Amino acid sequence: MEGVSFGRIKYLIGTEIETIIKGYSCDCCDYCLICDNCPVCRDCIDYHCFCDACDEDIRNRIIEIAIDRGYITEAEAKELNEDRICDICLNFTLYRDVICQNCDPCCDCQYVRNPEYCPLDDEYLIDDIDIGRIDRYLDTYYYDCSCGYEFTTKPFDSLKDYWQAIKAIVETVGKENIDISEKCGGHINISWQSENKSWADYKLTIARNMLYFADLLSYMFCSKETHYRDTYKLFPKRYEHIGLDFEDKYTCVHIKDYAIEVRIPDSPKDVDNHVLFSATLLAISLRTTDLPFSVYDFEKTKEIYNEINCYGDELSHDNKRYLRDKFKVLMKFIEKPLKALSHDLGIDLIKALRHRFNNPKYEEKEEKDFNLKQFAIKPKHAYVFNHIPNYITKTFLQLPLTAYS
């Protein structure tokens, strides 16, 4: 890794699995629907709690209203006893006039904005997910009105653990609840630190290099429906403003305080595809050399990126040829760190990446799951990978990586 003496690198990687699972979120409602059928009032009526407030004055008022409305005559009123007055009150709901109008059920209400009592109980509830099965992999989960429930992983210092976590989360939430056309994304967050340097020392270089490959990575790893998410992963508008655009939350490559966030990936319905994408981004981040990125390269990258991510267009032969040349640059650029990560994962990521380029996700006619295990490193090849310079080590305390801020 040219440009600096790194020694041993310790990385952290995390992602977010967005779903279409609906749930309760009081922030999404301007008005609480619970109030339409107030539990306090309902209980009061069901259990005749209003009777506790009845006294002689109220009974006289009930008689007056009953006479005025023609429910009884004055002669009948003279013959009424307490039980009969109660019957008239209940039959004609006169308690609403003499008791309810002076009641304040909203005072110290324990029901308003309480999801347990929300009438939207026909939605898919988070209680239907076995959170206990995946809780150890999660930093948090929450409901976002733009899509549905989002599951943010903890930061992992091992790609193998990261792979296991994503697989478990997707199995638990169900692939049927991940719909790219409903804007489900899978943002990836990456950071690393060596003995004397960190990703933050090279954040602009890393972000620019990732942006340089944004068109190629979209072609290789994003589905044909990825353009439905276009407003959440924007390509910078002008070459001169790249640095400022990296600070924008919805830029496809976003520099955070604690990590580089890449917003290009779809939600990991295809788990192995997402893991390979993550490993590729991590390998790019481990290189601190500035790639040549001219105005022409910027505009060409933006053109192809937007064809894929904004319009879902079929790429021309010229643009595919351009991506093929760029893929050669990518492979040469990340060969060393990718071999080191291959050892960490137990997968020949170089072969897997070549296969992914030759069979891009974007050109799949129907959904297919990528299979990383077909590129598992066999024992006879272990020596080769074991003697790759060890850039990667584990167990390093750092701020949690989350897919939102």
Side-chain angles (χ1 to χ4, degrees):
M1 299 193 292
E2 298 86 342
V4 65
S5 177
F6 281 92
R8 297 167 69 83
I9 297 291
K10 299 147 187 174
Y11 68 85
L12 287 175
I13 187 166
T15 192
E16 183 173 287
I17 295 96
E18 296 183 354
T19 73
I20 58 171
I21 297 173
K22 301 301 179 183
Y24 301 123
S25 175
C26 293
D27 294 337
C28 296
C29 295
D30 296 327
Y31 170 77
C32 185
L33 295 177
I34 296 172
C35 297
D36 287 342
N37 187 19
C38 173
V40 175
C41 297
R42 188 175 63 244
D43 288 348
C44 183
I45 294 171
D46 289 347
Y47 299 105
H48 295 180
C49 297
F50 50 81
C51 292
D52 296 337
C54 191
D55 57 21
E56 188 67 27
D57 290 338
I58 288 177
R59 284 192 288 271
N60 290 333
R61 180 62 181 146
I62 290 171
I63 293 172
E64 291 175 4
I65 294 175
I67 293 173
D68 289 343
R69 295 181 182 177
Y71 300 147
I72 59 174
T73 65
E74 291 188 7
E76 290 173 329
K78 295 178 181 180
E79 304 296 327
L80 294 178
N81 57 28
E82 287 190 12
D83 290 340
R84 180 61 182 141
I85 294 173
C86 286
D87 290 340
I88 292 173
C89 178
L90 293 175
N91 291 339
F92 297 106
T93 65
L94 298 185
Y95 52 82
R96 297 183 184 276
D97 301 287
V98 296
I99 296 177
C100 295
Q101 67 176 3
N102 298 315
C103 178
D104 182 14
C106 299
C107 181
D108 297 325
C109 179
Q110 302 299 312
Y111 298 95
V112 67
R113 294 191 173 275
N114 186 335
E116 184 176 349
Y117 299 95
C118 181
L120 300 177
D121 57 1
D122 58 338
E123 300 285 0
Y124 194 102
L125 308 184
I126 193 61
D127 292 340
D128 295 323
I129 298 295
D130 184 5
I131 292 295
R133 183 184 173 204
I134 57 176
D135 188 60
R136 66 185 182 275
Y137 303 123
L138 297 175
D139 180 66
T140 187
Y141 60 91
Y142 58 96
Y143 181 69
D144 188 325
C145 298
S146 67
C147 183
Y149 262 96
E150 302 184 4
F151 300 84
T152 304
T153 73
K154 294 177 179 178
F156 293 93
D157 58 14
S158 162
L159 276 175
K160 187 171 290 186
D161 293 342
Y162 175 76
W163 186 9
Q164 179 182 354
I166 298 174
K167 189 181 300 183
I169 295 170
V170 172
E171 285 178 355
T172 301
V173 303
K175 288 187 177 183
E176 69 277 8
N177 290 313
I178 298 176
D179 188 346
I180 311 306
S181 68
E182 292 294 330
K183 303 180 181 179
C184 292
H187 317 147
I188 296 171
N189 290 256
I190 294 170
S191 68
W192 56 259
Q193 184 158 342
S194 69
E195 295 167 353
N196 57 358
K197 294 289 183 178
S198 78
W199 71 276
D201 295 308
Y202 306 97
K203 59 186 179 182
L204 284 175
T205 292
I206 295 170
R208 284 172 62 92
N209 289 345
M210 288 181 171
L211 187 68
Y212 176 79
F213 291 116
D215 53 351
L216 174 63
L217 297 175
S218 298
Y219 176 67
M220 293 172 63
F221 294 104
C222 291
S223 76
K224 192 71 176 177
E225 296 180 319
T226 197
H227 64 277
Y228 288 101
R229 300 178 45 244
D230 64 317
T231 55
Y232 296 97
K233 51 172 181 173
L234 302 172
F235 198 90
K237 291 182 178 180
R238 297 178 62 184
Y239 181 79
E240 297 83 2
H241 297 163
I242 289 180
L244 290 175
D245 285 337
F246 286 147
E247 299 175 9
D248 190 323
K249 177 179 179 179
Y250 293 111
T251 300
C252 59
V253 181
H254 175 212
I255 298 177
K256 293 182 173 181
D257 292 337
Y258 54 87
I260 295 280
E261 178 187 43
V262 183
R263 301 179 62 89
I264 300 171
D266 300 325
S267 191
K269 190 172 187 176
D270 184 344
V271 173
D272 288 10
N273 178 73
H274 193 76
V275 172
L276 181 58
F277 197 168
S278 302
T280 304
L281 291 171
L282 179 55
I284 294 172
S285 79
L286 293 172
R287 290 297 311 272
T288 59
T289 302
D290 283 300
L291 284 163
F293 198 7
S294 65
V295 175
Y296 169 78
D297 291 324
F298 175 86
E299 294 297 337
K300 188 64 176 178
T301 301
K302 180 169 71 171
E303 172 195 329
I304 299 176
Y305 180 89
N306 286 339
E307 284 181 354
I308 295 170
N309 292 283
C310 295
Y311 311 114
D313 291 342
E314 183 176 347
L315 300 186
S316 67
H317 291 299
D318 287 343
N319 283 345
K320 288 182 181 181
R321 190 180 303 114
Y322 178 84
L323 292 183
R324 183 169 293 279
D325 292 339
K326 185 174 281 192
F327 179 70
K328 295 176 183 177
V329 176
L330 174 67
M331 294 303 292
K332 184 176 181 181
F333 187 66
I334 64 173
E335 180 181 8
K336 288 183 179 179
L338 203 61
K339 284 183 177 179
L341 292 170
S342 295
H343 172 67
D344 185 35
L345 191 59
I347 298 293
D348 189 336
L349 295 172
I350 293 177
K351 287 184 179 179
L353 202 58
R354 288 198 179 103
H355 182 83
R356 179 78 287 180
F357 176 75
N358 292 324
N359 302 273
K361 190 75 176 175
Y362 187 68
E363 292 194 349
E364 287 182 352
K365 301 301 181 183
E366 55 186 44
E367 290 183 359
K368 298 178 183 178
D369 283 343
F370 196 75
N371 179 15
L372 275 178
K373 289 185 177 179
Q374 64 182 310
F375 305 104
I377 298 172
K378 299 178 181 178
K380 67 178 182 179
H381 296 139
Y383 176 84
V384 176
F385 286 94
N386 283 335
H387 287 73
I388 298 300
N390 187 12
Y391 297 122
I392 315 300
T393 59
K394 298 186 285 185
T395 314
F396 185 76
L397 183 62
Q398 189 174 344
L399 289 175
L401 295 185
T402 55
Y404 62 96
S405 64

